[in-house]
Amino acid sequence: MSVTFAQGFSAAGVAAGISAVEGKKDLALVVNNGPLDAAAAVFTTNRFCAAPVQWSRAVVSDGHVKAVILNSGGANACTGKPGYEQSRATAEKIAGLLGASANDIAVCSTGLIGELLPLDHVLAGAQAAFDALSDGAEAGADASHAIMTTDTKPKTVELEGSTGFRVGGMVKGSGMIAPQLATMLCVITTDAVVSAGQLQAALNAGVEMSFNRIDVDGCMSTNDTVLLLASGASGVEPDPDEFNELVAEATASLARQIVGDGEGASHDIRIAVTGATTEDAALACGRAVAASNLLKCAIAGNDPNWGRILSSLGTVSPEDAPFEAEKVTVDVNGVRICENGGAGRDRSEVDMTPREVHIDIDLNAGDAEATVWTDDLTHEYVHINADYES
Amino acid sequence: MSVTFAQGFSAAGVAAGISAVEGKKDLALVVNNGPLDAAAAVFTTNRFCAAPVQWSRAVVSDGHVKAVILNSGGANACTGKPGYEQSRATAEKIAGLLGASANDIAVCSTGLIGELLPLDHVLAGAQAAFDALSDGAEAGADASHAIMTTDTKPKTVELEGSTGFRVGGMVKGSGMIAPQLATMLCVITTDAVVSAGQLQAALNAGVEMSFNRIDVDGCMSTNDTVLLLASGASGVEPDPDEFNELVAEATASLARQIVGDGEGASHDIRIAVTGATTEDAALACGRAVAASNLLKCAIAGNDPNWGRILSSLGTVSPEDAPFEAEKVTVDVNGVRICENGGAGRDRSEVDMTPREVHIDIDLNAGDAEATVWTDDLTHEYVHINADYES
């Protein structure tokens, strides 16, 4: 279903010969058939942002997007002016097919950095994707497959509001996932009647609580793009709060799916920090713990190593997160293995067999809290990233 | 040789039964026989600093240290008041043997966080180490073995000044190595006639350019301690500049040896950033690149992946390091594979077979520079840290 769950959207996913994997679907197209074409977006803050990010940022700036074309198999990042011209040519091709302006066509790319795309394959694929456009469930599924790189499964979401409007979405992302947006491409669609301003506000809030709170490997991508498109095809003007909640639920679900498919991961780790003086303080602590390679290796080895939790917590400056070391408690999977900054119950009591590992840190310094998600660090992560296009 | 290279120091390394590894030397003693007992130190900034760090910080605060006792096999960190009492009891034992004050005995511990030491073994080992004290080369070597944990080899340094004074040293450290001190214990000795103030100034400058510029895994320890002890036994008052240089050379050598023995590492990576507006800007860029798991995996796979270099460089804020993305060049092992922020010569031209990988980044924004060292990220790193005391 994915992006076609919302009315007013058609999609396609085709094999265009961009990916090095023979026959892999690698080009997706999502078209907003209206009547509205309102759009909002959030992009990577990386200073080496890719050509398609530069292109799409300009496209979305007026709040209108008619279609998005996305490819895996190449990031078109650090490719200079020729790369930018590739993004423009791709947008122009779709614009010609749709009878639209290229300035309303967003472009997203993901894959290896530093190489131009095989443009002839992209343009031929754009034609094939246009020919295959459909508003059916299978077309949405095809699109969600076509954006995958090291992802092992497509990641989609379908939600319905109480007044009948819908939100659908797809995301790709598995490695190069860091707190300031994850390495990912995400398209969320809705048939609600909403303005671009409403979309942007809902997206900003949703992204802050979801994609900005996951961390697979602390690496920020050059290509991250999250698009939220509204067709208005349901004719429903949603309750603003409910609309915001549904967008937040969609981004949370997609972000959670990214962690669940983190490169090589054998555990998904939820780090909940409570008792902080402020939410930012809780977040700083959660992120410091989520960034610890040593802890992530320990979890891979089914070791609830609270010493590595405390030592990473101890790197957060007192200005960023006031707390007293000897008041901190840590529970892993419900067992309080650290009490008052020292040893608590025996680590052997912790059942580490579930895929999900819950680390609950109480700073005992205030009432604020925050939760971040990460993955463990496994042999398989190294294998994937040592051998990826080497 | 290590710490006994400088005159006026005796040392020992014995197997005290603290380590889980049967028969491993795990307790070292270094005694300053004077006539001076001047000392300086730098400690971890981790908020969960270990009991021996708390103890030794107080000991060194008056600029006098008569002896240092160091153990592997247990960090005595996050062990609360009982842990602090263990450090005190250990210092008191050595003080009694030497006829000194416990307030002049520094204590260092390394190993698993969160468990108390087997104090009876430590105290019996202290006696055995005292009985084995010698100023010979073998005693210094024994001490450098006794502080090893996941280190695969001892790390020592011996330097001689032009006027006959000497500097010797030993360090342990292999994992949990991050820019704000590495996870390590380090003792440097000198027979020069210098004051505690001179020692501290020389040590601060040396550490800043060495231990603070290496990063194995971005994880900061609870136990880091660097001690610099002067016996004055040579009778030589050194030229201050030459003394500072020798201390800097000693710390640089020991830091380089840590990177060379980084957990599981198959490559030592030197990241030199030039053309920055300030040294801090260059350092921020170097550290961002050194912290990239993705790049470190690529290097493990012999892939000079400049896209991952730029994407990590792109996470540094423009305030911290002003530069233009399209002016950056990157050489790997002398081949300019990135020119003007885009592709340069083909990556296949880069010979990745040497253990040392040189990444030279020119920001083309100014005249300042900085160099940091790190390791690649291998299967073996994960193996060591997933299975360490699990």
Side-chain angles (χ1 to χ4, degrees):
Chain A
M1 300 280 261
S2 130
V3 289
T4 54
F5 181 67
Q7 297 177 70
F9 290 92
S10 50
V14 300
I18 307 165
S19 166
V21 181
E22 181 81 23
K24 182 194 173 301
K25 286 194 173 71
D26 51 14
L27 194 90
L29 181 60
V30 181
V31 175
N32 184 346
N33 299 306
L36 301 182
D37 63 0
V42 177
F43 297 99
T44 182
T45 57
N46 197 298
R47 291 163 76 180
F48 289 91
C49 70
V53 169
Q54 297 171 38
W55 173 264
S56 296
R57 189 179 278 139
V59 164
V60 181
S61 62
D62 68 355
H64 297 283
V65 170
K66 180 71 187 158
V68 193
I69 180 165
L70 313 93
N71 74 275
S72 53
N76 194 9
C78 305
T79 46
K81 195 163 166 48
Y84 190 79
E85 291 308 322
Q86 288 197 328
S87 292
R88 180 204 301 278
T90 305
E92 285 173 347
K93 171 74 181 180
I94 294 295
L97 292 168
L98 293 174
S101 159
N103 292 328
D104 288 335
I105 311 298
V107 180
C108 300
S109 299
T110 180
L112 191 68
I113 296 171
E115 291 180 11
L116 288 166
L117 296 171
L119 189 61
D120 49 342
H121 290 220
V122 173
L123 298 182
Q127 178 73 55
F130 175 78
D131 294 341
L133 277 173
S134 156
D135 60 4
E138 202 175 330
D142 285 349
S144 66
H145 274 91
I147 58 175
M148 289 164 57
T149 54
T150 55
D151 309 67
T152 65
K153 48 196 169 198
K155 302 165 187 69
T156 63
V157 67
E158 294 91 21
L159 300 169
E160 189 151 358
S162 63
T163 50
F165 72 96
R166 291 175 162 190
V167 174
M170 65 179 185
V171 72
K172 69 80 48 180
S174 183
M176 213 185 243
I177 298 290
Q180 297 154 283
L181 275 197
T183 300
M184 58 182 194
L185 304 179
C186 176
V187 180
I188 301 172
T189 54
T190 179
D191 49 24
V193 179
V194 280
S195 70
Q198 270 181 282
L199 289 176
Q200 192 68 53
L203 188 61
N204 289 349
V207 165
E208 175 54 33
M209 298 299 288
S210 57
F211 296 121
N212 276 348
R213 300 203 173 182
I214 62 177
D215 181 351
V216 171
D217 53 15
C219 294
M220 187 208 287
S221 153
T222 49
N223 288 55
D224 295 334
T225 301
V226 186
L227 286 162
L228 174 56
L229 312 177
S231 70
S234 68
V236 177
E237 285 189 38
D239 172 72
D241 288 343
E242 189 186 13
F243 181 72
N244 290 346
E245 275 163 32
L246 237 62
V247 170
E249 200 180 319
T251 56
S253 167
L254 293 170
R256 180 66 190 82
Q257 290 178 61
I258 286 177
V259 171
D261 194 26
E263 283 176 349
S266 62
H267 287 99
D268 306 346
I269 308 170
R270 190 201 71 193
I271 302 163
V273 179
T274 59
T277 51
T278 63
E279 186 180 354
D280 281 351
L283 200 51
C285 291
R287 284 180 175 167
V289 174
S292 168
N293 278 355
L294 280 173
L295 173 64
K296 289 151 75 116
C297 285
I299 302 292
N302 287 324
D303 174 11
N305 195 316
W306 62 269
R308 294 180 183 176
I309 296 171
L310 291 198
S311 63
S312 51
L313 207 55
T315 64
V316 180
S317 78
E319 296 74 46
D320 289 343
F323 65 82
E324 291 172 53
E326 54 279 7
K327 287 193 180 170
V328 173
T329 68
V330 179
D331 292 35
V332 177
N333 286 349
V335 179
R336 179 145 303 176
I337 53 173
C338 169
E339 183 100 56
N340 301 326
R345 284 164 61 189
D346 196 83
R347 67 178 73 197
S348 66
E349 293 181 40
V350 182
D351 178 11
M352 293 292 287
T353 52
R355 166 101 190 178
E356 244 181 56
V357 175
H358 293 178
I359 297 176
D360 294 294
I361 299 165
D362 191 343
L363 301 176
N364 281 304
D367 294 321
E369 56 186 65
T371 296
V372 302
W373 283 88
T374 188
D375 289 298
D376 56 357
L377 176 55
T378 65
H379 290 271
E380 191 59 19
Y381 176 88
V382 176
H383 174 68
I384 292 169
N385 287 297
D387 303 334
Y388 178 68
E389 184 60 68
S390 60
Chain B
M1 301 281 259
S2 129
V3 288
T4 54
F5 181 66
Q7 297 177 69
F9 290 92
S10 50
V14 300
I18 307 165
S19 165
V21 181
E22 181 79 24
K24 183 195 173 298
K25 286 194 174 69
D26 52 14
L27 193 88
L29 180 61
V30 181
V31 176
N32 184 348
N33 300 306
L36 301 182
D37 62 359
V42 178
F43 298 97
T44 181
T45 57
N46 196 298
R47 291 163 75 179
F48 289 91
C49 70
V53 170
Q54 298 172 36
W55 173 264
S56 297
R57 188 178 280 139
V59 164
V60 181
S61 62
D62 67 356
H64 297 283
V65 170
K66 180 70 187 158
V68 193
I69 180 165
L70 313 91
N71 75 274
S72 54
N76 194 9
C78 305
T79 44
K81 195 163 169 46
Y84 189 79
E85 291 307 322
Q86 288 197 328
S87 292
R88 178 203 301 276
T90 306
E92 285 173 348
K93 171 75 181 178
I94 294 295
L97 292 167
L98 293 174
S101 159
N103 291 329
D104 288 335
I105 312 298
V107 180
C108 301
S109 300
T110 180
L112 190 68
I113 297 171
E115 291 180 12
L116 287 167
L117 297 170
L119 188 60
D120 48 342
H121 292 218
V122 173
L123 298 183
Q127 177 73 55
F130 175 78
D131 294 341
L133 277 173
S134 155
D135 60 4
E138 203 175 329
D142 285 349
S144 67
H145 275 91
I147 58 175
M148 290 165 55
T149 55
T150 55
D151 309 66
T152 66
K153 48 196 168 196
K155 301 166 187 71
T156 63
V157 67
E158 294 90 23
L159 300 169
E160 188 151 358
S162 63
T163 50
F165 72 95
R166 292 176 161 189
V167 173
M170 64 178 186
V171 71
K172 67 81 49 179
S174 182
M176 211 185 244
I177 298 291
Q180 297 155 281
L181 278 200
T183 299
M184 59 185 191
L185 304 180
C186 176
V187 179
I188 301 172
T189 54
T190 180
D191 50 25
V193 178
V194 282
S195 69
Q198 270 181 283
L199 289 176
Q200 191 69 54
L203 188 62
N204 289 349
V207 165
E208 175 54 32
M209 298 300 286
S210 58
F211 297 120
N212 276 348
R213 300 204 174 181
I214 61 177
D215 181 351
V216 171
D217 54 15
C219 294
M220 186 206 289
S221 152
T222 48
N223 288 57
D224 295 335
T225 302
V226 187
L227 286 163
L228 174 55
L229 312 177
S231 69
S234 70
V236 177
E237 285 188 38
D239 172 73
D241 288 343
E242 190 188 13
F243 181 73
N244 291 345
E245 274 163 34
L246 236 62
V247 170
E249 201 179 317
T251 56
S253 167
L254 294 171
R256 180 68 190 81
Q257 291 178 60
I258 287 178
V259 171
D261 194 26
E263 283 177 348
S266 63
H267 287 98
D268 306 345
I269 309 171
R270 189 200 71 192
I271 302 163
V273 180
T274 58
T277 52
T278 63
E279 187 182 352
D280 281 350
L283 200 51
C285 291
R287 285 180 174 167
V289 174
S292 168
N293 278 356
L294 280 172
L295 173 63
K296 288 150 76 115
C297 285
I299 301 293
N302 288 324
D303 174 12
N305 194 315
W306 61 270
R308 294 180 183 176
I309 296 171
L310 291 198
S311 63
S312 49
L313 208 55
T315 64
V316 180
S317 78
E319 295 75 45
D320 289 342
F323 64 83
E324 290 172 53
E326 55 279 6
K327 287 192 179 171
V328 173
T329 67
V330 179
D331 291 36
V332 177
N333 287 348
V335 179
R336 178 144 306 177
I337 52 174
C338 168
E339 185 100 55
N340 302 326
R345 284 165 60 191
D346 195 83
R347 67 177 74 195
S348 65
E349 293 180 40
V350 182
D351 177 10
M352 292 292 286
T353 52
R355 165 99 190 181
E356 242 180 59
V357 174
H358 293 180
I359 297 176
D360 294 295
I361 300 166
D362 190 344
L363 300 175
N364 281 304
D367 296 320
E369 55 187 64
T371 297
V372 301
W373 284 88
T374 189
D375 289 298
D376 57 356
L377 176 55
T378 66
H379 290 271
E380 191 59 18
Y381 176 87
V382 176
H383 174 66
I384 292 168
N385 287 298
D387 302 334
Y388 178 68
E389 186 58 71
S390 60

